[in-house]
C-alpha cells in the first residue's frame, strides 16, 4: 500500500559539495546538496540551488562565478560545520587551503579531490531560492582519485546527502554496467544488439 507523502521532495541521495565564492573580497564556502546537471554536452552546464538568505549568493552575483568542490568522507566534520555557519557572521576564508583556476571569484579547495570552476550563465529566481546555472570552464582531480584517467568515485569517497533522514551516506559497490546490463532485455524486446 502506498502512503501519500504530501509532495515531499524525495530526490535523494544527492552528492554533498562545497561551493566556493568570493564575497566582499574574501573567499566564502557553503555546503549544498541541491545540485544538478543541466546540459550534458558541450558546453556543460550545472545548477546549484541556494536559499536567498545565504551570504554566498552575493558573491556569485558580483563575480559571476563559483566553484564546486567534492569533499571526501574524511572531511565530513568540516563539511557539516561549513553548512551550519554563515559568512554573514563568521569568516570562513581561512578554513581551507585554496587554489585558483581560470576565473576570479571561484576559489577551490585543495583538500577536496575533485573541483570544478563555473562561469555564471543564468539565475532562476524562485520565491525562496536562487538556482545558479554555471558553465563548467575547467575541472580538476587529484591523480590519486583517477583510474585509467577518469574520476573513480570509489576513490573520491563522496558524502551522499539524505534530507529525509538527515544523514550522510557513503557510496556502496558498483554492481552493474550502464548501457550494458539492459541489453539482453532490449534484444528480447526489439531484436537490437
Ligand atoms: C548537509 C547540508 C546540505 C545543505 N544543502 C543546502 C542546499 O542545497 N542549499 C542551500 O541553500 N543551503 C544548504 N545548506 C545550508 C548552507 O550550507 C548553510 O546555511 C550555510 O551556512 C550558508 O552559508 P553562507 O551564508 O556563508 O553562504 C546545507 C547544509 C548542510 C549541512
Amino acid at each position: 500500500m502506498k502512503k501519500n507523502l504530501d509532495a515531499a521532495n524525495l530526490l535523494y541521495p544527492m552528492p554533498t559539495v562545497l561551493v566556493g565564492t568570493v564575497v566582499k573580497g574574501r573567499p566564502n564556502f557553503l555546503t549544498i546538496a541541491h545540485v544538478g546537471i543541466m546540459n550534458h554536452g558541450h558546453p556543460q552546464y550545472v545548477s546549484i540551488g541556494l536559499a536567498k538568505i545565504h551570504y554566498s549568493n552575493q558573491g556569485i552575483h558580483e563575480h559571476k562565478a563559483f566553484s564546486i568542490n567534492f569533499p571526501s568522507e574524511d572531511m565530513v566534520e568540516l563539511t557539516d560545520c561549513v553548512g551550519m555557519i554563515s559568512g554573514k557572521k563568521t569568516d570562513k576564508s581561512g578554513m581551507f587551503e585554496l587554489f585558483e583556476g581560470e576565473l576570479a571569484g571561484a576559489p577551490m579547495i585543495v583538500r577536496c579531490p575533485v573541483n570544478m570552476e563555473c562561469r555564471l550563465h543564468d539565475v532562476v529566481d524562485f520565491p525562496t531560492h536562487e538556482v545558479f546555472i554555471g558553465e563548467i570552464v575547467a575541472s580538476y582531480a587529484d591523480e590519486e582519485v583517477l583510474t585509467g584517467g577518469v574520476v573513480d568515485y570509489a576513490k573520491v569517497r563522496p558524502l551522499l546527502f539524505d534530507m529525509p533522514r538527515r544523514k550522510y551516506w557513503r557510496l556502496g559497490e558498483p554492481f552493474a554496467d550502464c548501457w550494458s546490463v539492459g541489453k539482453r532485455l532490449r534484444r528480447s524486446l526489439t531484436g537490437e544488439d
Side-chain angles (χ1 to χ4, degrees):
M1 183 72 156
K2 294 277 187 194
K3 185 167 163 51
N4 186 330
L5 297 178
D6 281 340
N9 185 350
L10 303 176
L11 203 53
Y12 300 99
M14 299 290 282
T16 312
V17 299
L18 294 164
V19 168
T21 60
V22 172
V23 188
K24 295 182 180 161
R26 302 188 81 84
N28 191 66
F29 294 89
L30 91 164
T31 304
I32 71 157
H34 294 157
V35 293
I37 297 169
M38 303 299 287
N39 186 62
H40 181 70
H42 292 286
Q44 298 267 12
Y45 292 102
V46 292
S47 67
I48 56 170
L50 270 61
K52 288 181 179 176
I53 52 162
H54 295 331
Y55 189 63
S56 302
N57 302 42
Q58 308 176 28
I60 302 175
H61 283 292
E62 184 185 341
H63 295 282
K64 310 230 173 303
F66 57 88
S67 73
I68 298 177
N69 306 269
F70 274 72
S72 291
E73 284 175 25
D74 64 351
M75 294 179 69
V76 68
E77 189 181 4
L78 265 171
T79 302
D80 201 53
C81 173
V82 167
M84 292 190 293
I85 52 179
S86 175
K88 284 179 202 163
K89 287 191 179 165
T90 308
D91 181 2
K92 295 185 254 185
S93 64
M95 289 183 77
F96 303 104
E97 185 188 343
L98 305 178
F99 72 102
E100 282 197 11
E102 297 172 25
L103 301 175
M108 289 174 279
I109 299 172
V110 172
R111 191 168 163 193
C112 289
V114 172
N115 321 85
M116 298 184 289
E117 51 178 330
C118 303
R119 181 185 295 117
L120 184 63
H121 171 74
D122 209 348
V123 185
V124 185
D125 188 13
F126 287 106
T128 58
H129 282 65
E130 291 177 303
V131 175
F132 295 100
I133 298 171
E135 176 186 348
I136 303 171
V137 299
S139 302
Y140 308 86
D142 291 348
E143 285 189 16
E144 293 74 23
V145 301
L146 299 179
T147 298
V150 298
V151 173
D152 183 338
Y153 289 98
K155 294 177 178 172
V156 174
R157 293 180 299 125
L159 305 173
L160 304 180
F161 174 70
D162 166 357
M163 179 73 118
R165 295 187 60 204
R166 296 185 168 227
K167 300 280 183 206
Y168 297 104
W169 290 72
R170 56 169 57 108
L171 202 61
E173 294 292 313
F175 73 98
D177 290 329
C178 309
W179 290 289
S180 177
V181 67
K183 280 186 176 171
R184 192 190 57 80
L185 181 58
R186 180 178 70 171
R187 197 177 309 119
S188 73
L189 290 173
T190 68
E192 283 177 38
D193 269 325

